[in-house]
């Protein structure tokens, strides 16, 4: 059995044990400690912390998430880190409510109940939980879905909420040759079983907060935002909500009617479709596209937000989708002076595109 060491987290005064063969973030989850995290692949920097004392080594990670100078200074990505002595680690980001009160990680056997095209490259995958019969998660969180017959998995955000605790929907962008997403064309069928593990992620609505909510999404980044909107609607939230969704053309829009219906249940809601290539297109397979009355804004979603939002520093911003979009928006939000603790983001990175040292 691998040697174990003690990890002491400051400034939260929490101690735990970690084996040399497990990553510090995984050891924390195992012991019910929900540290701040995003991708869990060493790519997003959400788990970046500071080593005050002790010996730590990291597995493969992206230098965009933690550069060489930071590593030399003592910064570490806890999702990639193994401890080889007792350590004291300073958490740079943490959510006091989540730390010891997060939803426990579950292993769920599920069955595919529907695979439906939403647009030319986005598919809705619906699963029903078999064992256990319900899956607990917070709106905006994500799961690992295992590639059948392997111990490899991919992360996908839930689009649904706890109003359907045994039925979960994911919205998945297809990549040609993608190990998981290509299965949606001919490798998976209704009735097949999938192993789901989760929930993970900090892209959740914070109870008791009152600031206006600005959601910025692109592509399959619709999924966790739809979950947040469904939750805000179900809980009759009174917070103002604006949702900027970036797509290439009108044919890449989907669920627009449901989004507008959810918005009708909110006190102050606006949906802004942002089209980067406004060429005339055939309607999407779900009969979606631009509904009458909805006027799209032209341009990248970040440019549209920049044109329309004047007081972002007084909003909570939920940002998610393809990594280039998320990176551009994070830079813009920093320039606008939006405090870090008002920005929640999930960057839809792939483990095979990681840029390493
Ligand atoms: C926290 C989190 C939440 C996520 N939620 C979702 C979600 O709700 N819906 C969703 O569709 N995806 C989501 N993703 C991304 C998802 O986990 C996979 O990485 C993605 O679906 C590709 O997996 P794959 O097995 O199909 O392709 P892979 O086999 O991993 O990759 C095959 C090829 O596809 C291309 N590719 C894959 N990903 C990208 C990318 N991001 N940008 C450019 N090219 C790429 C590359 O050419 C790559 O070589 C999420 C990722 C994270 C970290
Ligand atoms: S870099 Fe660790 S969670 Fe993303």
């Amino acid at each position: 059995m691998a040697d174990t060491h003690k990890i002491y987290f400051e400034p939260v005064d929490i101690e735990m044990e970690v084996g040399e063969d497990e990553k510090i973030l995984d050891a924390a989850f195992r012991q019910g400690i929900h540290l701040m995290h995003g991708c869990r692949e060493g790519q997003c920097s959400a788990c970046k912390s500071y080593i005050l004392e002790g010996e730590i080594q990291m597995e493969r990670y992206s230098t965009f998430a933690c550069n060489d100078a930071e590593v030399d200074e003592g910064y570490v990505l806890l999702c990639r880190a193994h401890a080889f002595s007792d350590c004291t680690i300073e958490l740079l980001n943490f959510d006091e409510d989540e730390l010891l009160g997060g939803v426990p990680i579950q292993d769920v056997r599920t069955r595919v109940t529907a695979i439906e095209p939403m647009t030319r490259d986005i598919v809705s995958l619906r699963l029903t939980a078999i064992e256990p019969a319900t899956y607990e998660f917070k709106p905006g969180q994500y799961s690992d879905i295992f590639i059948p017959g392997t111990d490899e998995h991919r992360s996908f955000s839930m689009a649904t909420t706890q109003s359907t605790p045994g039925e979960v929907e994911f919205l998945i962008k297809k990549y040609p040759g993608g190990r998981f997403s290509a299965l949606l064309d001919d490798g998976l069928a209704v009735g097949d079983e999938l192993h789901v593990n989760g929930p993970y992620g900090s892209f959740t609505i914070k109870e008791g907060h009152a600031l206006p909510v600005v959601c910025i999404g692109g592509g399959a980044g619709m999924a966790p935002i739809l979950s947040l909107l469904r939750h805000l609607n179900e809980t009759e939230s009174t917070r103002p909500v604006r949702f900027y969704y970036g797509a290439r053309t009108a044919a890449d829009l989907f669920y627009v009617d449901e989004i507008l219906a959810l918005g009708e249940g909110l006190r102050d809601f606006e949906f802004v479709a942002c089209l980067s290539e406004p060429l005339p297109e055939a309607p999407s397979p779900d009969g979606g596209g631009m509904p009458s009355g909805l006027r799209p804004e032209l341009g990248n979603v970040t440019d549209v937000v920049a044109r329309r939002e004047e007081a972002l520093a007084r909003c909570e911003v939920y940002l998610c989708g393809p990594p280039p979009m998320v990176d551009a928006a994070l830079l813009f939000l920093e320039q606008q002076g939006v405090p870090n603790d008002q920005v929640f983001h999930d960057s839809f990175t792939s483990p095979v595109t990681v840029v390493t040292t």
Side-chain angles (χ1 to χ4, degrees):
M1 209 181 113
D3 285 350
T4 59
H5 304 287
K6 284 198 167 39
I7 306 283
Y8 177 69
F9 292 112
E10 282 193 358
V12 293
D13 195 21
I14 292 176
E15 191 177 282
M16 68 165 203
E17 294 218 321
V18 60
E20 288 186 355
D21 56 349
E22 65 183 336
K23 285 166 269 196
I24 294 176
L25 186 71
D26 291 338
F29 280 130
R30 184 171 56 73
Q31 290 162 80
I33 303 164
H34 292 251
L35 302 178
M36 197 62 100
H37 65 283
C39 64
R40 294 168 29 256
E41 301 277 357
Q43 299 198 57
C44 75
S45 82
C47 65
K48 197 189 287 178
S49 302
Y50 188 72
I51 310 167
L52 293 167
E53 212 179 313
E55 193 192 333
I56 282 178
Q57 283 174 24
M58 278 197 275
E59 284 183 24
R60 206 171 88 107
Y61 63 94
S62 160
T63 46
F64 293 113
C66 197
N67 65 39
D68 294 345
E70 289 175 314
V71 173
D72 289 346
E73 250 184 89
Y75 289 93
V76 66
L77 301 172
L78 296 181
C79 67
R80 301 277 96 190
H82 294 263
F84 292 94
S85 71
D86 290 352
C87 298
T88 303
I89 294 174
E90 183 185 353
L91 299 178
L92 303 178
N93 289 308
F94 56 90
D95 177 334
E96 299 229 29
D97 297 335
E98 277 291 305
L99 258 180
L100 298 174
V103 178
I105 309 295
Q106 303 141 71
D107 271 307
V108 188
R109 262 178 64 216
T110 69
R111 179 167 292 126
V112 177
T113 51
I115 302 175
E116 286 173 34
M118 292 282 112
T119 68
R120 56 188 152 186
D121 59 6
I122 294 184
V123 167
S124 161
L125 171 69
R126 287 179 184 270
L127 306 180
T128 189
I130 309 172
E131 179 59 47
T134 56
Y135 177 35
E136 192 191 344
F137 59 87
K138 290 188 180 176
Q141 288 195 292
Y142 70 88
S143 304
D144 285 346
I145 304 185
F146 282 79
I147 299 168
T150 75
D151 56 6
E152 248 189 280
H153 53 73
R154 293 291 183 270
S155 304
F156 296 105
S157 308
M158 282 70 85
T160 38
T161 67
Q162 290 296 287
S163 65
T164 55
E167 309 290 327
V168 193
E169 179 186 18
F170 299 91
L171 298 169
I172 300 182
K173 178 172 159 69
K174 291 189 289 178
Y175 289 99
R179 292 269 285 128
F180 186 90
S181 63
L183 296 176
L184 297 165
D185 276 333
D186 51 14
L188 264 184
V190 169
D192 287 353
E193 282 198 17
L194 283 174
H195 171 191
V196 171
N197 170 261
Y200 297 100
S202 318
F203 190 86
T204 54
I205 290 281
K206 312 302 166 218
E207 297 308 327
H209 289 206
L211 286 178
V213 174
V214 173
C215 299
I216 306 173
M222 170 75 82
I225 296 180
L226 200 52
S227 176
L228 298 186
L229 290 180
R230 284 170 167 161
H231 170 77
L232 289 165
N233 175 285
E234 286 159 11
T235 54
E236 299 178 1
S237 172
T238 54
R239 298 175 72 174
V241 180
R242 289 183 296 282
F243 176 15
Y244 294 87
Y245 181 69
R248 278 175 295 165
T249 69
D252 297 304
L253 297 173
F254 61 109
Y255 271 148
V256 172
D257 291 338
E258 171 160 2
I259 291 165
L260 296 177
L262 288 170
E264 275 172 24
L266 295 171
R267 187 175 286 180
D268 176 3
F269 175 77
E270 190 178 7
F271 174 63
V272 183
C274 313
L275 303 183
S276 56
E277 293 171 25
L279 297 174
E281 291 274 347
S284 59
D286 73 338
M290 191 62 66
S292 57
L294 189 71
R295 290 171 61 99
E297 289 273 345
L298 302 186
N300 290 326
V301 65
T302 315
D303 297 338
V304 176
V305 174
R307 282 206 299 268
R308 294 176 53 114
E309 292 291 334
E310 286 168 2
L312 278 170
R314 292 200 298 278
C315 298
E316 275 184 350
V317 183
Y318 288 81
L319 170 64
C320 118
M325 188 214 90
V326 171
D327 293 345
L330 283 175
L331 186 64
F332 166 71
L333 295 174
E334 193 184 332
Q335 289 160 353
Q336 295 300 301
V338 185
N340 276 343
D341 61 0
Q342 288 170 216
V343 179
F344 306 93
H345 65 97
D346 266 343
S347 183
F348 284 3
T349 51
S350 153
V352 300
T353 53
V354 67
V355 181
T356 56
T357 45

